[in-house]
Amino acid sequence: MKRIFVTRKLVGDAQLLLKKKGFHVNIYNEDHPIPKQELIKRVKDVDALINHVTDKIDKEVIDSMKKCKVIANCAVGYNNIDVEYANSKGIVVTNTPNVLTDSTADIAVSLVLACARRLHEGEEMMRTGKFSGYKPHLLLGIELKGKKVGIIGAGEIGFATAKRLKAFGTEIIYFNRSRKEKFESELSAKRVTLNYLLKSSDIISVHLPSTKETFHILNKTNLKLIKKRAVLVNTSRGEIVDEKFLIEMLKKKKIFAAGFDVYEGEPNVDPELFKLENVFLLPHIGSATIEARTAIAELCVKNVIAVLSGKKAITPVKAN
Ligand code: GLV
């Protein structure tokens, strides 16, 4: 009987499909990520692993797998897995593109609106009894209509975010290593350099994968180019932005506000962020809708079934 290990209970009924197919499914049923040594023990004799972004699947973990054929990552980003090494050992790695595009774009737009209109400050004011009635100068924010939106990373999520923001009456520009026809024909968006984007955008939304090349692609040098009245949101990976420097800019009000769904050094969050009023903080919930997380689980399971039945994986990834 083929054995599958799941590092955390999946949303929906996808696990049942594995059982119906006659696989033996073992789940780490705790409400925290599995400790590395425990993971190493549990994957020794599995034929497939279904894991989450919180699991680091490095050389040591991969070396402990004696017969694994497929690692199915419950996420679109797969920087948590040493894909090159897994592939070199004959293990297929899969991710979950497309199924979480809309949920993540919804969160990116939510962050933009929350930051631009200072929603968290308003909410806190209400809950702490500080609202004393309408005031003409209370919590003045930024209107989206007529503003320039800079999308960094023009993949599916970047596109879905741009499309939503375009509907607010904004102009879209994008930075990407290759031209994206869809951005240009459907959104009349122009491809620009990163520096130009940072200098001229009122709203900046980050959608890059985390790789060696994108690590701190937003850094001390180019973050300084951002307009004082701009909003920056990140729903991709924390390592893309030099978080410490961005915090300094936020402290000195060199940027209007920033919205975070991801952090450098997750699950740790820089405590300085909690002291700032001009940030809106979310706990990595880009794909956290019932629809997306159910579809993610189904896609992972289907990838596992495909590979273990000797077929091609549906959404395999290659090392970046
Ligand atoms: C979540 O972070 C994902 O990459 O899907």
Side-chain angles (χ1 to χ4, degrees):
M1 188 189 260
K2 298 243 161 64
R3 301 172 68 84
I4 295 153
F5 182 61
V6 185
T7 62
R8 219 132 161 204
K9 197 171 177 306
L10 303 174
V11 174
D13 294 333
Q15 273 150 205
L16 296 180
L17 197 59
L18 291 172
K19 287 188 181 150
K20 259 195 228 151
K21 289 271 175 192
F23 297 125
H24 179 271
V25 183
N26 187 355
I27 302 166
Y28 186 72
N29 256 326
E30 304 292 330
D31 193 24
H32 57 78
I34 183 166
K36 186 166 178 189
Q37 288 316 313
E38 181 72 17
L39 177 62
I40 285 174
K41 250 196 261 161
R42 301 267 202 125
V43 295
K44 278 199 163 77
D45 62 350
V46 299
D47 299 278
L49 168 67
I50 297 180
N51 70 281
H52 297 267
V53 276
T54 42
D55 306 311
K56 195 163 166 44
I57 314 296
D58 58 13
K59 287 194 176 66
E60 202 186 347
V61 175
I62 294 167
D63 276 338
S64 70
M65 298 170 152
K66 298 301 169 220
K67 52 196 255 252
C68 186
K69 293 273 174 299
V70 52
I71 298 170
N73 194 40
C74 288
V76 66
Y78 47 90
N79 53 300
N80 54 314
I81 303 178
D82 190 335
V83 178
E84 195 173 353
Y85 194 63
N87 288 168
S88 78
K89 298 264 166 180
I91 302 171
V92 176
V93 179
T94 66
N95 72 339
T96 59
N98 306 321
V99 292
L100 48 79
T101 301
D102 290 313
S103 61
T104 310
D106 287 350
I107 280 291
V109 174
S110 304
L111 282 175
V112 167
L113 288 169
C115 287
R117 299 303 302 271
R118 308 172 62 177
L119 298 186
H120 49 307
E121 292 174 77
E123 231 260 342
E124 168 148 343
M125 184 175 280
M126 297 309 293
R127 286 182 189 268
T128 52
K130 292 193 185 125
F131 176 58
S132 57
Y134 170 90
K135 284 184 195 163
H137 293 272
L138 184 64
L139 294 180
L140 295 183
I142 292 169
E143 201 162 296
L144 296 195
K145 190 171 171 198
K147 298 295 190 304
K148 200 173 266 187
V149 172
I151 300 285
I152 301 181
E156 289 301 317
I157 301 172
F159 180 77
T161 303
K163 194 166 173 182
R164 282 159 172 74
L165 291 171
K166 175 96 179 162
F168 285 84
T170 63
E171 179 195 339
I172 312 290
I173 55 175
Y174 71 98
F175 165 74
N176 201 60
R177 59 182 174 191
S178 61
R179 229 188 109 203
K180 289 285 177 158
E181 167 58 25
K182 200 155 97 164
F183 267 75
E184 305 190 9
S185 60
E186 288 185 41
L187 305 175
S188 311
K190 227 171 94 190
R191 181 168 162 232
V192 296
T193 63
L194 184 55
N195 280 0
Y196 179 85
L197 183 146
L198 294 170
K199 248 191 282 183
S200 57
S201 298
D202 304 291
I203 311 289
I204 299 164
S205 191
V206 183
H207 300 282
L208 288 168
S210 173
T211 66
K212 273 190 223 110
E213 289 74 37
T214 63
F215 178 78
H216 282 192
I217 195 167
L218 297 185
N219 51 48
K220 285 184 180 59
T221 315
N222 59 19
L223 280 168
K224 280 190 201 136
L225 300 172
I226 291 180
K227 286 183 186 177
K228 205 164 174 241
R229 291 263 303 266
V231 164
L232 177 126
V233 306
N234 186 5
T235 50
S236 55
R237 288 291 182 269
E239 298 73 30
I240 290 164
V241 185
D242 181 340
E243 195 176 274
K244 282 251 173 297
F245 190 73
L246 180 58
I247 290 172
E248 284 315 304
M249 286 177 61
L250 285 155
K251 274 187 190 163
K252 293 181 188 145
K253 307 248 174 6
K254 299 229 155 141
I255 177 169
F256 187 76
F260 297 71
D261 187 42
V262 289
Y263 304 86
E264 225 185 316
E266 252 181 74
N268 302 321
V269 178
D270 191 322
E272 289 301 305
L273 280 170
F274 302 125
K275 299 181 192 158
L276 295 169
E277 276 183 343
N278 49 354
V279 297
F280 195 97
L281 309 173
L282 290 177
H284 202 148
I285 53 167
S287 68
T289 59
I290 296 162
E291 292 87 348
R293 290 277 165 89
T294 304
I296 288 170
E298 280 169 9
L299 183 51
C300 282
V301 162
K302 285 181 183 159
N303 270 309
V304 166
I305 294 172
V307 175
L308 295 189
S309 327
K311 299 194 188 108
K312 275 202 174 126
I314 305 161
T315 50
V317 297
K318 288 264 164 280
N320 277 311

